[in-house]
Amino acid sequence: EVLHLLHFEKGFFYSAKELMTRPGDSIREFITDNRIKHMKPVAYLILTSLLFTIIAHYFHADKLYNEKENLSFGKSHVASLIQWVQTHYGYANIMMGAFITVCVKTLFRKYPYNFFEITVLLCFVMGQGMLLLTVETLFIPIIGAKLYTILLTTISIAYPTWAIGQFYDRGKAISYIKAFVAYIAGYLLFYTAIGITGVLADILLKSTGTH
C-alpha cells in the first residue's frame, strides 16, 4: 500500500478520486472484479481516520468534542468511552460500521449483497467521509468553530447517504431515503451501546466501591 500511496492511478489517491466522483460504481467494481487499483477498504478507513485525528488535534478541533462531552456527561464512563471513540476513529468506525451494516442489510435486504460486501462498502464510504472532514478541518481557522460543527455534521450524514444510495440504485429516491435511515439508525445504535456500556460500568464500579 505504501509503494502505491502517491499514485493517482492506483492506491490512496485513486480511491479518493473514485469515491468522490463515482462511489457506487467504483465500490461495486471493487466487490465484483477490480481490486487492484483501489487501496484496501479497511486500510483506507484506518488511514483516513488517522489523518483526521492528527489534523483535528493540530487545529484543536478535538477540544470542541471534549468540552461538549464534559458538559454533557461529566467524568462518567460514558464520557470516557466517547472520548476514546474520538481519539481512535479508525477502530471506532469499524465497530460503528458493524451496527450500520446490520441496518443497511435490513433495509436493502432485496439486494444480493452479503454482510462482507456491505462491510467493504461502509469501510470505503466512512473512510471517504473522514477524508472530507479532514479537508474541512484545515479551514477551521477561517470558518470558525460554529460553522465547522454545522458542516461536520452535514458532511457526516450527507456523503454516506449519497454514496450508499448510489451504490444500490442511483435512479431511485427511495434508495437515498433508505441509506439515510440505515446510516442514522446504525449510528444511534452504536452510541446507544456506548451509553449502556458506560452506565453499566458506572453502576458496577459504584456498587463495588471502585473509582
Side-chain angles (χ1 to χ4, degrees):
E1 297 297 345
V2 174
L3 290 175
H4 300 293
L5 189 61
L6 299 178
H7 291 190
F8 282 94
E9 295 304 319
K10 204 171 189 180
F12 176 79
F13 283 106
Y14 175 82
S15 295
K17 177 191 69 175
E18 292 290 293
L19 292 170
M20 194 69 253
T21 57
R22 48 192 293 272
D25 293 334
S26 63
I27 296 172
R28 278 196 303 273
E29 289 170 4
F30 178 89
I31 289 174
T32 55
D33 59 1
N34 184 14
R35 302 187 180 185
I36 298 176
K37 291 187 176 183
H38 273 288
M39 189 174 179
K40 292 179 175 62
V42 174
Y44 188 77
L45 174 58
I46 291 177
L47 177 58
T48 54
S49 297
L50 178 61
L51 288 174
F52 175 73
T53 301
I54 294 172
I55 297 300
H57 180 71
Y58 180 80
F59 285 94
H60 307 294
D62 53 347
K63 291 183 179 180
L64 298 175
Y65 308 115
N66 293 334
E67 291 174 0
K68 180 180 177 182
E69 304 312 330
N70 287 334
L71 288 173
S72 301
F73 302 105
K75 294 184 179 180
S76 67
H77 283 82
V78 175
S80 298
L81 287 173
I82 292 177
Q83 288 178 6
W84 181 89
V85 168
Q86 292 166 354
T87 53
H88 299 80
Y89 279 108
Y91 300 116
N93 280 329
I94 291 173
M95 290 187 286
M96 186 190 300
F99 289 87
I100 300 174
T101 295
V102 173
C103 295
V104 170
K105 180 62 176 177
T106 300
L107 289 179
F108 291 95
R109 56 186 175 275
K110 293 183 180 179
Y111 291 82
Y113 300 105
N114 57 41
F115 283 102
F116 172 77
E117 292 166 334
I118 297 173
T119 299
V120 169
L121 163 67
L122 290 173
C123 282
F124 276 129
V125 169
M126 296 175 76
Q128 186 71 2
M130 296 305 295
L131 183 60
L132 292 174
L133 296 180
T134 301
V135 174
E136 183 207 349
T137 304
L138 294 173
F139 295 94
I140 193 172
I142 300 173
I143 64 179
K146 186 175 182 180
L147 181 56
Y148 170 78
T149 303
I150 294 172
L151 291 175
L152 183 143
T153 303
T154 302
I155 293 171
S156 298
I157 298 173
Y159 178 79
T161 298
W162 173 65
I164 295 171
Q166 189 185 86
F167 175 81
Y168 281 99
D169 195 334
R170 71 170 67 202
K172 293 184 178 180
I174 190 63
S175 182
Y176 299 96
I177 295 173
K178 286 182 177 181
F180 173 80
V181 172
Y183 194 84
I184 294 298
Y187 177 90
L188 293 176
L189 285 173
F190 172 72
Y191 276 98
T192 298
I194 290 288
I196 291 173
T197 302
V199 169
L200 290 176
D202 283 333
I203 293 173
L204 179 62
L205 293 176
K206 185 178 181 180
S207 65
T208 58
T210 305
H211 297 285

